[in-house]
Amino acid sequence: MRYIVLLIALLTPISGSAQEWEDRRLFGASDQISLTILSSTDTSFFAPIIDDFIASNPNTSVEYLVTGTADLERTFRAAPDRFDVVISSAMDLQLKLTNDGFAAPILAEDHPEWAQWHDRLFAFTSEPAAIVINRRTLGDLPIPQSRQDLIELLRGHPDRFQGRVGTYDVRQSGLGYLFATQDARASETYWRLMEVMGRVGAKLYCCSGQMIDDLRQGKLVVAYNVLGSYARKQAETSGDLLVILPSDFPITMMRTVLVSENAANPRRAESFVRHLLTVQAAGDPKVFPLPPLVGDYDNEAQRNINLDPALMTYLDQMKREAFVREWENAIVQDE
Amino acid sequence: MTADVIVSGSLRNRLAFILTGGAALLAVILYVAVRLLAAQVAQQGQDNILNASMSSVLDTALIRDGRVTVDFPYSSLSMLNTAADDRVFYAIYEGENLLSGYDWLILPRDVLSERTHFGTTTFRGDPLRVATGSRVLIGSDGPRTVSVSIAQTQDALSDTLYSSSRSVAFLGLGFFLMSSALALWAASTTSGQMRRLATSVTRRGPQDLSPVTKPVPSEMAPLVGSLNTFMSRLDHTLSQSEDFIAEAAHRIRTPLATVRSHAEATLQRVDRTENRKSLQAMVRAIDESSRAAGQLLDHAMVTFRAENLEVSEVDLADLLDELVLSMTPVAEMKDITITMTLDRPATLQGDAILLQNALRNLIDNALKYAPAETDVIVRVSKSPSLSVSISDGGQGFAVDEIETLPGRFVRGKNMGNKVGSGLGLTIAQEVAIAHGGKMTLSNRKEGGACVTLSF
Ligand SMILES: Nc1ncnc2c1ncn2[C@@H]1O[C@H](COP(=O)(O)OP(=O)(O)O)[C@@H](O)[C@H]1O
Ligand SMILES: [Mg+2]
């Protein structure tokens, strides 16, 4: 089955635009696609959820398309009628899409109020940004527990870390930009950290996946603002990886889903979203392998990024330009 | 009595109608006014926040390296967060050029004033409230105008309005119900005052013409006042005429007694048969007149005393003993035996003089209408209730007259040439009624009349 799907995926020239997907997978027996999901989440996390959905809705076939958060927003904005469900970790972009009228309303009274916006945008995970370390390459150096620790570590051993520190390229990654702006908003340690990382020639990544791969292979010693959920999954298979939530304040993102206002299959899209929220609430990790929603944390400083219109602040053209300029000044100083 | 009164409408209904109608009108006015006020207040609230947000954006506008930059804080938009997740749009212009934000959010033309401009527009059918303000920055190349518009949908506002409308509607309804209840209560207590007066007047005895002494509301005072005057005038007239009758009877009886004694004396001295005859007729006529006068007096006295009985404990048996004793000479003249069957003691609370008067009239009738050598039976029994009956062996009442005989001055067909005024049964009946009893006329099976007073 998988092979056939893969075969189809490889053989079918992607219709319409020459869009290149990070991944494209078809689920379900029927060859007539009845639900198109545009997502920034790795297929492996969503496969069990979609399988479960198809099990309770036979005769459904789902096309699951994966791309980066920034590209996802551009693609969807350009053709909102091509996709039924949009899933992204870039809360700000998702909120702006909803604000701009791209999302259709869904009644979800059981879903917590703080995890939905305007009856159209629904959060279904809580995922902190983490510091991920390769223990092997870190050697005998102390394990940093906070941003300040990390700053001191990098300052103290610039040669050990030269070219072996990674973080998101906020210019390419929507999620990276969200993490960076929220981080910068919360504390000025962010800018100091970026400066220090810039001095040791930090590598910039478009996506969490590649960053973790490089970590695992020992090309990186430490990666900053990585998606904890992805890193943990890798840490299960590789004992070297260590996922640390900064003890001062972990930025916590909520993955969100919306149904396109112009969806071709609005009914099925709505029932998929309901299904997704239901399995999230049920919390069976076999069906829902993503970290579930958390409202209250033991760590007082940890808080989900609020779903509110202020998320659009850093999406402002002028503010974005200014932020990226400052960020570049800090981290790309050597180039 | 009410049947003869021409009724037009009801004060109570009119009052209730006016009051509930007024309450309904007030409730509607209340609803509309509070709703308008709530809408105004809610809009004011949204405008204030939009203004604060807009100002906080505008405040951050400055010229850097010859370019206008606006680095507005996170709070500018986060303060616009509402429970209904209202959508937010903004646009930042330098002159006519969009710097950032939504290009469809076009500046109003008359924005170039110091004050914030508020307006309403729509975005894809959703109403938007827009606050726009502007500021002039002085650059090296001259003044540059920066304008900011912040727009927000009105979902939270309409939610608030809806819920406040609902509570105001409940308030209005509650107000209406409460004031209606109050109105009905007011109407019924007001009419209750009048009804109470009416029943207290209705419940009076026919002879009670005393003024209404219970306090009445001031609005009813004129009515009750004139009623009281009317009744006292009536009472005055009545007692005057009673007094007059009594006085008249007295004045007639005294000279009649004188005339009678003269006639009797003359009769002794006159021998001629025709003279004697006419003198005897004269004496009879005098007797009749003085008897009628006496009964008129008695009747007036009974009518007067019936209103204010001088109540004491009276033993009917003792009273009858005395009465029969005084009447025995008359009975003996006709060879009539008075038999008494007395259930002693037969006491009741009553006016001895009136009772004696009544019984004397009844025994008098029996002696008068029964033929000689018959028996008159006086009986007092205590069961089922206290009663006195006087029966005789005469021809009894004419059956078709029984109903009317107790009337004033009514005499029966069988009166023959017997002296009488037609007041005896009237007096007896009035006395019985004044004591809360009644008089029954009947004929005995073995012949003869039977009059029963039962108390
Ligand atoms: N004991 C009686 N027997 C027969 N008729 C009677 C008797 N008592 C009263 N009546 C009738 O009732 C009438 C009214 O009586 P009453 O009122 O006493 O008036 P009066 O005796 O002066 O005629 C009498 O005229 C008589 O016809
Ligand atoms: Mg008589």
Side-chain angles (χ1 to χ4, degrees), chain B residues 291 295 361 364-365 368-369 411 419-425:
Chain B
R291 196 186 152 75
Q295 283 204 307
N361 273 295
D364 186 57
N365 275 355
K368 190 160 63 171
Y369 294 104
R411 307 200 63 195
V419 176
S421 60
L423 281 172
L425 290 181

Side-chain angles (χ1 to χ4, degrees), chain B residues 394-449:
Chain B
Q395 58 188 145
F397 302 104
V399 180
D400 55 330
E401 287 178 343
I402 281 190
E403 293 282 299
T404 51
L405 288 179
R408 286 184 183 192
F409 304 112
V410 177
R411 307 200 63 195
K413 287 181 282 200
N414 60 344
M415 67 174 184
N417 60 352
K418 289 170 178 99
V419 176
S421 60
L423 281 172
L425 290 181
T426 315
I427 290 169
Q429 188 178 41
E430 280 182 7
V431 170
I433 288 171
H435 284 80
K438 62 171 195 236
M439 180 183 78
T440 342
L441 306 186
S442 57
N443 286 322
R444 299 166 67 200
K445 264 180 276 166
E446 55 271 40

